[in-house]
Amino acid sequence: MKDRNITNWYPTSWQGKTAGQQPLYADQAEVDRVLAQLSKMPPLVTWGEIESLKKQLAEAARGERFLLQGGDCAESFEDCRPDTIANKLKILLQMSVVLIHGMQKRVIRVGRIAGQYAKPRSADIEERDGKALPSYRGDLINRAPFTEKDRKPDPHLLLRGYERAAMTLNYVRAMGEGGFADLHHPEYWQLDFVKDSQLEKNYRHIIETIRESLSFAETVSGRKIQEAGRADFYTSHEGLHLLYEQAQTQYVEEVDRWYNNSTHFPWIGVRTAHPDAAHVEFFRGIANPVGVKIGPDTTADEISQLVDILNPDDEAGRLTLIHRYGYRQVEEKLPILIEAVRRTGKTVLYSCDSMHGNTEIASNGLKTRRFENILSELNIAFAVHKSEGSHLGGVHVELTGENVTECTGGARGLTDDDLERAYKSQVDPRLNYEQALEMAMQIAEK
Ligand code: PEP
Ligand code: CO
């Protein structure tokens, strides 16, 4: 492995910089005890897996693969249940099959899963009826109910989060290996409530085509294609809570590198992606592939700095820029991003998060996103990359395998009035199962 040109870094070096979005704990000694425990726990992922993913991301940057990254805005501890996890895997699997079929490319499946428990908030304090309490920051930090006790940051939740992540990942791994993900049996992933969906016919057709091609290839070669019997899933989350991430970062002597073993692929959120601040400092030293969200306020100068700081050696697969401009601004801003990266002379993987720039408040006060706007940002992003001589190598979506009503539009034509029926997200609105599948079909058709 090539040497990395990282100097003056250690897992705590970020502590000398400004760290945004960190909880304020009342009892530092208790936090220290929890972190000491956490740092002795087994790694959730291994450095070998992390490096395999990095290789695949390098292929995506070259246009040979496509990155599908998706999951909840925030996982909750309560949703650490077999059905919820399986449904999330099912929709990611189905989307990936649709994409493979349409794009004729291998797809990298990355969940926002097994650790997506900490959320950045625009306000530190939430007010209700004249009462002010700390904002809910995700199950890793405090609890959602609006009471003083629930909103107090609790360091023990860091341990509960690690355990939930481990349990989730254990189930994800078992399903990825076993018959569940077997392309010979796509019926295993079928979700009951789509039986009457308009998308069903289209999806069935894709599955039948794949099944026939697979069977043809196996007949001709005279052997079973083992690869089709299993599926790789990788994990990702926003690496927001730096003490938590730091506690799971370990040195690997064989390769002389530090890995953050809490997830394969951590990313920096748009609110904490300042080149001089703590998150970038922490991410600079870990050897994982890393993502950075790029928003409408990120300047060209900041982009160049981020690329240089986070990928000084131009290591293939190391850096993914996840742009999230919103459908109104993407056409204007994306060329600036592409040009800023080009000036660094380095290669990145571009992925489009078409969710976070398209959040709005519906007529009934609920946070929502419109399917047509989400799709429109994606379509524009594909076109702009093409005309700028670069290419979009991935998508980043907030979705769930459940039949929720949080985003409007899609084949079923959900309206603002439908939102209240099954709105479950504590934070951002997610595409439901059908909308997610439809999104994959629309991308694949392009
Ligand atoms: C998120 O991915 O849930 C998120 C908060 O995104 P961003 O940092 O892009 O706003
Ligand atoms: Co979100």
Side-chain angles (χ1 to χ4, degrees), residues 27 31 51 53 56 214 288 316 344 388 425 436-437 443:
D27 183 351
V31 177
E51 288 296 335
L53 173 60
Q56 297 188 13
L214 198 58
N288 304 55
T344 66
E388 296 287 323
S425 176
L437 191 58
I443 301 171

Side-chain angles (χ1 to χ4, degrees), residues 73 112 116 119-120 238 267 269-271 293 324 353 356 396 398 428:
C73 181
R112 290 174 59 116
Q116 177 54 17
K119 295 308 296 174
E238 179 172 348
W267 77 85
V270 86
R271 290 166 192 76
K293 295 282 199 87
R324 30 88 84 220
D353 165 356
H356 287 89
H396 184 114
E398 286 186 345
D428 289 339

Side-chain angles (χ1 to χ4, degrees), residues 97-123:
V97 164
V98 170
L99 291 172
I100 292 167
H101 179 256
M103 299 181 136
Q104 299 288 311
K105 263 182 206 173
R106 288 204 279 175
V107 170
I108 313 167
R109 302 174 199 88
V110 178
R112 290 174 59 116
I113 199 167
Q116 177 54 17
Y117 297 124
K119 295 308 296 174
R121 301 314 303 251
S122 24

Side-chain angles (χ1 to χ4, degrees), residues 93 175-184 188-189 228-231 233:
L93 262 173
M175 282 192 293
E177 286 298 322
F180 177 84
D182 194 339
L183 258 183
H184 303 92
Y188 295 171
W189 328 327
R230 56 183 301 282
F233 282 104

